[in-house]
Each structure stands twice: as C-alpha cells, then as structure tokens.
C-alpha cells in the first residue's frame, strides 16, 4: 500500500520561504510520478508541481519562478521549495503520487494527509 506523509507547513510572512517534505512508503511499487496539489477555500484545486522518476518537472503558471520541486529516489522523498510566498499561496498542500507510467496525473490515486501553509502578515 502506498502511503504519503507531508511535513513542513506553517505560518510565514509574505516574501518568506518554506520547504515541504513528502515521505513515501510504497512497498514493492515504484512511484512513477510525485507532486503537490493545493486546496484553498473558494478556489479550484490546483496541481502546483510534479516530478517523474526520471526527473521530468512541470509547474503551474501561478508558481513558476518561485517554487522548486525535487525528489530523492533513494530515500523515496519529494520536496517542494517555496519562495517569494504570497497570501494567495495560503492553502492545504497535499503530496500526491501514482505508480502508473505515462499518467497525465489528473486524478492521482494516492494522497497524503495534507499540511497547512499560511502566508499572512
């Protein structure tokens, strides 16, 4: 069974930086793709970033140039480095993953519990 656990959320001021971590337990499965979704009240759920096992990365336009996703395959861990944070980045951030090669990642089957990121002065 694939399990994902996020950590690193918290309260920061606009312009600050924060790094989220996702520790994955996948047993015999290889996680083809890992990423981060975020959900805020009144807003659409948004795929913030994703990274495949081969290192292919995609970002949402809203975070390009500010966020950076990375992955340590040996440790089965993914990270999201967030910089120049804005109040509109406030959301619950979820680590997501899929074992299926070539997935479009529109409906990830595996989700973490979420970690709250609040950007406020």
């Amino acid at each position: 069974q694939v399990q994902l656990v996020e950590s690193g959320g918290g309260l920061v001021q606009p312009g600050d930086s924060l790094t989220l971590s996702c520790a994955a337990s996948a047993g015999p499965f290889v996680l083809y793709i890992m990423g981060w979704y975020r959900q805020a009240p009144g807003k659409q759920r948004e795929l913030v970033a994703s990274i495949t096992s081969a290192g292919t990365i995609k970002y949402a336009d809203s975070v390009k140039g500010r966020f950076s996703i990375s992955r340590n395959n040996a440790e089965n861990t993914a990270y999201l480095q967030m910089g120049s944070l804005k109040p509109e980045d406030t959301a619950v951030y979820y680590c997501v993953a899929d074992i299926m090669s070539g997935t479009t990642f529109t409906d990830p089957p595996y989700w973490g519990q979420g970690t709250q990121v609040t950007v406020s002065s």
Side-chain angles (χ1 to χ4, degrees):
Q1 182 178 352
V2 175
Q3 293 183 313
L4 308 171
V5 180
E6 306 97 328
S7 61
L11 173 64
V12 297
Q13 295 183 329
D16 282 356
S17 299
L18 198 64
T19 298
L20 306 181
S21 299
C22 175
S25 178
F29 298 107
V30 175
L31 298 178
Y32 164 71
I33 190 168
M34 300 181 72
W36 297 87
Y37 263 94
R38 66 183 180 185
Q39 178 67 65
K43 296 182 179 180
Q44 297 182 43
R45 188 183 68 182
E46 181 180 34
L47 178 61
V48 176
S50 65
I51 182 170
T52 70
S53 58
T56 300
I57 294 172
K58 293 183 178 180
Y59 294 105
D61 289 340
S62 58
V63 305
K64 282 185 177 179
R66 299 190 298 119
F67 289 12
S68 179
I69 190 171
S70 61
R71 175 174 178 168
N72 187 320
N73 291 331
E75 296 180 355
N76 222 9
T77 305
Y79 305 92
L80 184 67
Q81 293 178 281
M82 304 181 293
S84 301
L85 284 163
K86 306 173 182 179
E88 49 263 48
D89 293 319
T90 296
V92 177
Y93 284 72
Y94 297 91
C95 182
V96 293
D98 200 345
I99 63 174
M100 183 174 292
S101 178
T103 183
T104 60
F105 216 33
T106 57
D107 188 21
Y110 303 110
W111 292 70
Q113 83 285 358
T115 185
Q116 176 71 48
V117 173
T118 302
V119 185
S120 176
S121 59

